[in-house]
């Protein structure tokens, strides 16, 4: 049977959703591992990553069940939700690739001032203190003296562009797999199961 057939569409959707399930479990596992071993102390960051992982897991589960059972309602909602996720993810990926250096600096400084826990993690990991200048009065989690410590801002700026390009590229890749999933789901919904009763309603 050619790949445009019912069985191939069903198998392709199942494989795609199994991939999404693996990615979601990986997200949940890495976030929990990072929190357990003290790599990330910010609860909001860990909760956000775990929340995204659970959301992706539920969407993939709906798609997998819909594909296995050829369930029209599940496939319809899966297709709509996946398309909305595609639009959001594609927009964020393009925005992260299009940020210039001034915008990156602004977002870094806003993020630095917003979260004390994340600031402490960055200072301890990069062995730096403060954002633009080392302040003697501020508490610093780095193991260095004020004379040898460097500010974190310049160090973060060197990584920011590289990280944004990497994250934007990964986001674009997965957004195209999502639009592939929408197309496969639309096609699969309109195909008739060859094993079903020929007079049955689709």
């Amino acid at each position: 049977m050619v790949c445009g057939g019912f069985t191939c569409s069903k198998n392709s959707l199942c494989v795609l959703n199994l991939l999404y399930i693996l990615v979601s479990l990986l997200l949940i596992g890495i976030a929990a591992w990072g929190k357990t071993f003290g790599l990330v102390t910010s609860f909001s960051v860990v909760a956000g990553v775990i929340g995204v992982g659970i959301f992706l897991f539920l969407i993939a589960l709906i798609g997998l069940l819909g594909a296995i059972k050829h369930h029209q309602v599940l496939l319809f909602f899966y297709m709509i939700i996946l398309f909305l996720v595609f639009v959001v993810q594609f927009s964020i990926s393009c925005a992260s690739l299009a940020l210039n250096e001034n915008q990156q600096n602004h977002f870094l400084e806003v993020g630095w001032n917003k979260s004390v826990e994340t600031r402490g993690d960055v200072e301890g990991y990069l062995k730096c203190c403060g954002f633009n200048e080392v302040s003697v009065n501020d508490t610093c989690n780095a193991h260095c003296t004020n004379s040898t410590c460097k500010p974190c801002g310049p160090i973060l700026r060197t990584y920011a562009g590289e990280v944004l390009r990497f994250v934007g590229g990964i986001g674009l890749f997965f957004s195209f797999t999502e639009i592939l999933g929408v197309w496969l789901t639309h096609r699969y919904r309109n195909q008739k199961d060859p094993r079903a009763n020929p007079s049955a309603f689709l």
Side-chain angles (χ1 to χ4, degrees):
M1 182 176 278
V2 294
C3 196
F6 179 85
T7 305
C8 185
S9 298
K10 176 180 180 176
N11 292 340
S12 300
L13 263 179
C14 288
V15 167
L16 188 66
N17 284 299
L18 285 173
L19 174 71
Y20 288 155
I21 287 175
L22 288 176
V23 169
S24 68
L25 293 175
L26 191 66
L27 278 173
I28 295 168
I30 287 175
W33 177 76
K35 183 67 176 167
T36 303
F37 287 100
L39 299 174
V40 181
T41 57
S42 174
F43 180 74
S44 58
V45 171
V46 173
V49 173
I50 289 177
V52 168
I54 290 172
F55 177 75
L56 182 61
F57 181 81
L58 292 175
I59 296 303
L61 198 61
I62 289 172
L64 188 63
L65 289 174
I68 290 171
K69 295 182 178 273
H70 198 233
H71 195 281
Q72 296 293 315
V73 177
L74 283 178
L75 289 171
F76 175 76
F77 282 111
Y78 172 73
M79 185 173 61
I80 296 298
I81 293 170
L82 201 61
F83 181 73
L84 293 174
V85 170
F86 161 75
V87 170
V88 170
Q89 187 170 337
F90 185 78
S91 304
I92 291 173
S93 298
C94 289
S96 68
L97 290 172
L99 282 176
N100 62 32
E101 195 171 332
N102 290 334
Q103 291 168 327
Q104 289 176 21
N105 291 340
H106 171 71
F107 285 123
L108 282 172
E109 195 160 2
V110 167
W112 182 266
N113 294 329
K114 195 172 238 184
S115 175
V116 178
E117 295 91 1
T118 306
R119 186 185 321 164
D121 290 343
V122 170
E123 287 176 341
Y125 183 73
L126 296 178
K127 296 177 179 52
C128 58
C129 286
F131 189 73
N132 285 323
E133 57 186 26
V134 179
S135 176
V136 181
N137 298 331
D138 288 342
T139 58
C140 179
N141 290 348
H143 299 294
C144 58
T145 62
N146 287 332
S147 59
T148 61
C149 274
K150 297 178 181 175
C152 296
I155 301 172
L156 288 173
R157 287 184 197 106
T158 58
Y159 293 115
E162 198 175 309
V163 168
L164 283 172
R165 282 191 297 276
F166 177 74
V167 169
I170 296 291
L172 276 180
F173 171 75
F174 275 104
S175 67
F176 287 121
T177 66
E178 289 159 4
I179 203 67
L180 173 70
V182 170
W183 176 76
L184 276 171
T185 306
H186 176 70
R187 181 181 180 134
Y188 180 61
R189 279 189 77 232
N190 294 324
Q191 290 176 333
K192 194 164 184 78
D193 189 347
R195 297 167 299 179
N197 183 2
S199 60
F201 179 70
L202 264 177

